[in-house]
Amino acid sequence: MPPTVITLYQPPPAWGLPSLSPFCTKVETYLRMVDLPYRTRGGDPRKHPKGKLPWIDDDGRTISDSSDILDHLNARLGDPLDGALDHSQRALAHLARRTVEEHLYWCLVYARWVDPGGFSFTREAFEKLLPPVIGKLLVHQVIRKKIVGALHGQGLGRHARADIYRRGCEDLTAIAVLLGEQPYFLGPNPTSIDASLYALTGGIWLHPADNPMKQHMAALPNLVAYSERMHNRYFGERPPGGTVP
Ligand SMILES: N[C@@H](CCC(=O)N[C@@H](CS)C(=O)NCC(=O)O)C(=O)O
């Protein structure tokens, strides 16, 4: 029986990254890591029950939340990437995933949506996806306002710019220290945590705006090499986008 083609709903590629969304980048990276055929389609989070991207359609079944998607696919495939990990490696991956997805992500959101230098690129990328006049209004008055509110609710948005970036830099240092000189986060072979780490480190490194997190990353050569290693391995030869039409 031919394998089911997964449909991944996500915003389009930008700045050399598979998607404007780090969580969508994570899922697309994972799909390439396990070599599953997939197609990508644009997705409007407002049309999805959980109101967030990404979601996938797997043979008529809708699954959302990047971690639930990976769990679903891991179960279906027999855990090809993480099957050989021991308990402490799994625990370390869990903590790293929570750090980058629940904290560093918000620093990235601040850099892209609040900091004026980053927002000028974000605005341009999002306005391209929306109808001309209303698009500008939506990006400034609706999406940005909602994101500023979310950052405030999460708590990070209540800090000063320098303190937000300092917190993001601390996460990057911790990941770089644990990575050391290993090619992938848990050793010589890629595992699913690398999809999250690439999504966030690549999301900081490849975004065109300069900011203190990017400068800090430049001073962590092992982390830059890691992020580029992941990018080149999974997107170097075949640019982002579905592997089937
Ligand atoms: N925990 C979720 C987070 C997904 C998420 O925050 N997605 C963002 C895009 S990066 C989104 O859809 N935001 C729209 C909104 O919050 O309205 C996951 O892992 O998939």
Side-chain angles (χ1 to χ4, degrees), residues 8 31 36 72 74 104 120 129 132-133 149 162 216:
L8 167 62
L31 288 166
L36 269 181
H72 162 81
N74 260 336
L104 184 59
S120 64
L129 306 176
V133 179
H216 187 69

Side-chain angles (χ1 to χ4, degrees), residues 10-66:
Q10 64 174 358
W15 312 308
L17 289 156
S19 169
L20 283 162
S21 154
F23 294 103
C24 300
T25 294
K26 167 187 164 186
V27 173
E28 184 165 352
T29 304
Y30 175 86
L31 288 166
R32 289 192 174 201
M33 290 169 88
V34 295
D35 218 8
L36 269 181
Y38 70 96
R39 61 172 79 90
T40 52
R41 295 286 180 267
D44 181 345
R46 291 168 306 173
K47 300 202 173 117
H48 190 267
K50 290 195 178 165
K52 287 202 181 259
L53 291 157
W55 76 87
I56 62 162
D57 181 302
D58 182 6
D59 207 14
R61 198 171 151 198
T62 299
I63 299 137
S64 52
D65 189 285
S66 63

